[in-house]
Amino acid sequence: LAVFKTFVEAAKRDGYIERTTFDQIRIRKIKTDVVYLDTDEYCRLMKLYRSDGAEDPLTPEQRYILGFWLFMANTSPHVGDAKVVTLEQLRHEELQYQRKKTRVNVTVPLNMTAKSLIREYAEGRKKGRLFHRLPCEQIINKQLMKIADIAGINKRLCCKTARHTFATIYYANTHDAFGLKSILGHSD
């Protein structure tokens, strides 16, 4: 509604309309809680991802999605950017891409976990998308909630949680707000 109000008010300012019903309406911003995993919860997901014995609690689809989530939690892209990462964007120990939302060029140094996930998901390929078997974001998030239950994590695990987890762990380890802003691809 707030976005719609912005467009209606722009039309009023430009003289396309004289009055709007928004003149009498005040739209409140809804506060949402930022959900992120602490180091212990993150480690539980890593352990779950690495477990592949006879008693593996994950389906192959859940394992693929968890690997995707772990990639995002180690490299920071928004889900829309992460889904289209190509092997060609992985150069010189870095992920280089342009953030869709802000059009900001982003360079992310790759840690050991990210490199390991890239090797697994590249499956020997040199070109093309890194993740080529992902369902839509809604299904990914449903599976992530099931994965959180399996791991004993009582938080809303979703794609956005990976980005928040990256930011929280990065800042806790470096205290570098400027570097974090750059890696997240924020324009302001």
Side-chain angles (χ1 to χ4, degrees):
L1 198 54
V3 172
F4 184 65
K5 179 180 178 182
T6 302
F7 285 105
V8 170
E9 289 181 349
K12 181 180 172 185
R13 237 187 354 265
D14 293 343
Y16 292 105
I17 54 179
E18 291 181 26
R19 288 183 314 215
T20 76
T21 54
F22 287 110
D23 292 339
Q24 288 82 36
I25 298 174
R26 183 175 161 263
I27 299 175
R28 294 180 314 175
K29 287 197 174 194
I30 299 172
K31 286 192 174 187
T32 58
D33 293 329
V34 175
V35 179
Y36 61 90
L37 300 188
D38 61 32
T39 305
D40 176 63
E41 293 163 328
Y42 169 83
C43 288
R44 279 192 263 163
L45 288 181
M46 279 300 301
K47 185 176 178 182
L48 182 62
Y49 180 75
R50 296 292 179 217
S51 70
D52 59 358
E55 308 244 345
D56 186 2
L58 297 177
T59 67
E61 180 186 33
Q62 288 171 332
R63 178 170 307 293
Y64 194 85
I65 288 170
L66 178 54
F68 174 66
W69 188 93
L70 290 166
F71 174 80
M72 289 191 298
N74 281 277
T75 57
S76 84
H78 181 274
V79 62
D81 296 321
K83 285 180 86 171
V84 296
V85 165
T86 65
L87 294 166
E88 294 87 350
Q89 292 171 305
L90 303 163
R91 302 178 219 125
H92 311 293
E93 310 270 321
E94 297 173 333
L95 165 62
Q96 299 174 355
Y97 69 100
Q98 185 178 70
R99 179 124 192 261
K100 286 181 185 178
K101 181 179 178 181
T102 60
R103 301 282 183 234
V104 171
N105 290 325
V106 178
T107 300
V108 181
L110 298 173
N111 64 24
M112 298 286 284
T113 302
K115 290 177 193 175
S116 173
L117 290 164
I118 290 164
R119 279 191 299 277
E120 285 179 49
Y121 283 84
E123 299 168 331
R125 295 174 293 123
K126 301 284 185 211
K127 294 182 179 180
R129 287 190 180 172
L130 179 60
F131 300 97
H132 54 92
R133 297 186 329 222
L134 286 169
C136 69
E137 186 176 350
Q138 183 179 13
I139 291 173
I140 292 172
N141 286 336
K142 281 183 182 180
Q143 289 296 332
L144 287 170
M145 288 302 294
K146 291 177 183 176
I147 292 166
D149 286 342
I150 293 168
I153 297 171
N154 192 22
K155 290 183 180 174
R156 186 176 184 279
L157 188 63
C158 64
C159 293
K160 195 157 193 77
T161 311
R163 192 164 160 84
H164 294 164
T165 299
F166 173 88
T168 303
I169 293 172
Y170 180 91
Y171 187 75
N173 289 335
T174 66
H175 301 287
D176 180 7
F178 182 75
L180 179 60
K181 174 187 154 308
S182 175
I183 289 173
L184 292 176
H186 288 190
S187 57
D188 54 1

